[in-house]
Amino acid sequence: MSLSENNNPDTGNLPVEPDLMNFLVSSIHDTKNSVCLLLNSLEKTLANADASQLAAHAELVRVNAEAKRVNNHLVQLLTLYKVGQRVYPFDVQYVSLRDFIAGIVAQYSDLLQFRQITLEAHVDPELHWYFDEDLINAVVGNAINNAIRYTRDCIRIAAEEQNGQLLLRVEDNGRGYPAAMLQDSYDSMHRVDSLENSTGLGFYFSDKVARMHRNQGVSGKLKLENGGPMKGACFLLFLP
């Protein structure tokens, strides 16, 4: 219906309100495009700059990291909208885990160096799996962003086959997840935590993406735990 096609007898003299959701989605998309332009400019500047000669280099790295985080959130919101509308082009492909994790490490190398954080990667070079690479990249990237926020100085990412499923682990040597999150991790993934400045968007998005991956009646899932080789928080993603 156009703005002039209001035939309701009770509101016939009032203009029809455009769909608020369309405004929100269009605004998010427009903002994401602007953030992408900002990111491109920042990354070109950083790639061509001599860190030792650029006084603002450290500040630019930090701004670049924050811009990436904002862009990731906008992409997650748009993806969730498309999934909800059943228009997301879910694209499962046969992916090399060695190449996938190498790409993840490259994405975060500047920020990790800036924060003086070591990233260990452990993967069988022959391991391949079927999944939507863009979606799983976003999920693992979200887990790494959280690990960067809470680790003391080291993060470990690993991929392995376990009981017929792909297991992706992102771990750190920080204080670990709060006990409440481990006791009821599903609810925690869908809760806004103002004290921790968390909207819950990342966990909600990751949980949704995991469940989209199904094989022979089995769905993907997330699990949170503490311990592991790094003795801190462990984000586990299982894909069938």
Side-chain angles (χ1 to χ4, degrees):
M1 183 192 299
S2 69
L3 290 175
S4 60
E5 293 177 326
N6 184 357
N7 298 318
N8 187 318
D10 297 326
T11 59
N13 295 325
L14 298 176
V16 175
E17 290 287 342
D19 187 354
L20 178 60
M21 183 60 74
N22 286 338
F23 268 132
L24 293 174
V25 171
S26 297
S27 298
I28 291 172
H29 196 272
D30 185 56
T31 304
K32 184 181 76 66
N33 289 341
S34 296
V35 173
C36 283
L37 289 175
L38 173 64
L39 276 170
N40 287 336
S41 297
L42 281 170
E43 288 175 354
K44 284 181 182 177
T45 300
L46 289 169
N48 295 323
D50 181 345
S52 63
Q53 300 297 318
L54 181 61
H57 186 269
E59 185 65 15
L60 288 177
V61 171
R62 190 184 67 78
V63 171
N64 191 45
E66 286 300 310
K68 282 183 177 178
R69 193 174 71 87
V70 171
N71 187 60
N72 288 341
H73 285 179
L74 296 174
V75 169
Q76 290 171 13
L77 287 170
L78 288 174
T79 301
L80 288 171
Y81 173 76
K82 291 178 181 177
V83 170
Q85 296 296 310
R86 301 181 185 277
V87 295
Y88 180 81
F90 191 52
D91 183 21
V92 173
Q93 297 185 14
Y94 195 51
V95 179
S96 161
L97 270 300
R98 179 190 60 184
D99 294 345
F100 175 75
I101 289 186
I104 293 277
V105 172
Q107 289 174 42
Y108 289 89
S109 60
D110 287 344
L111 178 59
L112 292 166
Q113 184 178 5
F114 171 66
R115 295 283 183 87
Q116 298 184 319
I117 296 171
T118 300
L119 176 59
E120 299 178 3
H122 300 266
V123 59
D124 179 347
E126 301 301 321
L127 182 59
H128 291 66
W129 211 263
Y130 286 97
F131 55 81
D132 185 308
E133 188 170 4
D134 288 341
L135 288 178
I136 300 305
N137 187 307
V139 170
V140 174
N142 186 64
I144 289 180
N145 276 323
N146 283 336
I148 289 173
R149 186 176 179 185
Y150 294 108
T151 187
R152 286 191 284 113
D153 57 10
C154 191
I155 296 172
R156 181 179 187 270
I157 179 171
E160 62 179 295
E161 182 175 354
Q162 187 179 96
N163 300 324
Q165 297 193 55
L166 174 65
L167 170 58
L168 286 162
R169 301 176 63 100
V170 179
E171 308 171 54
D172 65 61
N173 62 351
R175 65 190 183 192
Y177 291 112
M181 290 188 71
L182 300 179
Q183 289 170 1
D184 195 349
S185 57
Y186 180 84
D187 284 347
S188 297
M189 291 176 194
H190 300 76
R191 182 185 304 146
V192 176
D193 188 340
S194 57
L195 295 178
E196 291 287 340
N197 195 27
S198 171
T199 64
L201 173 62
F203 281 135
Y204 180 83
F205 173 82
S206 300
D207 182 57
K208 181 73 79 174
V209 168
R211 292 168 187 270
M212 288 171 67
H213 288 77
R214 302 185 182 93
N215 185 23
Q216 298 182 345
V218 178
S219 299
K221 66 178 181 181
L222 301 185
K223 184 178 180 182
L224 306 179
E225 62 184 31
N226 290 335
M230 304 298 293
K231 310 299 182 186
C234 305
F235 176 95
L236 282 65
L237 171 63
F238 294 87
L239 296 177

